[in-house]
Amino acid sequence: MTADRARIGRRSRRKGKTWERAVVTALRAVGIDAKRGWWQSRGGGEVADVVTPRLWIECGCGAAVDGARKLAQAIGYCDHDTNRRIPVAITRRTGSRRIEVTMRMGDLLAMAEGNVGAFDAETIVTLTFGVWVPVAVAHERRERSGVA
């Protein structure tokens, strides 16, 4: 590997860590018990980027970040998660202030205590962070109090 490629890789990992820390800070600010999964290896898979008791969060930031791809990664890892956490992707494109949350419709409606009804539960939806946060906070409170 050339020195330039190594430098780009380090820069990319540093940017990822910074974004994960920002997501943790934002979630803690609204009362969600979140911490960065810093003990993961470069290969990933051992733990979510951001760990909460009820959510498996994969984070992504970059010029071409794909929320659906990050969600697929989270779903794949959640298949082996004994805590049965809900898979979520939180992404932001470089240069944008818009933070997006991508998840399955069925999981979103379950968090909001809604009925899937006519919707396909596997449909992928993307919301802004500001729209998603109140749903996540209410879900966390219900789960903590045991009123699932």
Side-chain angles (χ1 to χ4, degrees), residues 6-142:
R7 192 174 321 114
I8 290 168
R10 275 193 306 275
R11 188 180 322 135
S12 179
R13 285 189 300 277
R14 190 175 325 124
K15 185 168 71 168
K17 289 177 190 178
T18 300
W19 175 237
E20 291 165 9
R21 287 183 186 117
V23 169
V24 167
T25 300
L27 293 174
R28 284 183 177 172
V30 296
I32 295 176
D33 180 25
K35 54 188 162 222
R36 192 171 155 265
W38 58 268
W39 52 90
Q40 67 188 2
S41 69
R42 273 192 209 173
E46 292 83 10
V47 70
D49 290 340
V50 174
V51 178
T52 82
R54 291 152 199 91
L55 302 171
W56 184 288
I57 301 173
E58 291 296 325
C59 297
C61 64
V65 69
D66 183 351
R69 184 173 291 148
K70 283 299 201 178
L71 177 62
Q73 180 183 346
I75 291 169
Y77 294 153
C78 278
D79 286 346
H80 308 290
D81 180 35
T82 57
N83 294 322
R84 299 179 46 96
R85 286 177 262 199
I86 295 173
V88 176
I90 299 179
T91 58
R92 183 177 60 102
R93 290 191 186 272
T94 302
S96 173
R97 295 183 54 139
R98 181 183 172 96
I99 300 170
E100 295 182 335
V101 177
T102 306
M103 60 191 307
R104 294 180 290 203
M105 176 68 82
D107 291 333
L108 175 63
L109 292 173
M111 285 177 68
E113 291 190 308
N115 185 345
V116 175
F119 291 104
D120 177 2
E122 296 298 312
T123 298
I124 305 300
V125 295
T126 300
L127 308 107
T128 62
F129 189 75
V131 169
W132 176 78
V133 162
V135 174
V137 168
H139 173 71
E140 290 284 314
R141 286 186 182 140
R142 277 193 312 278

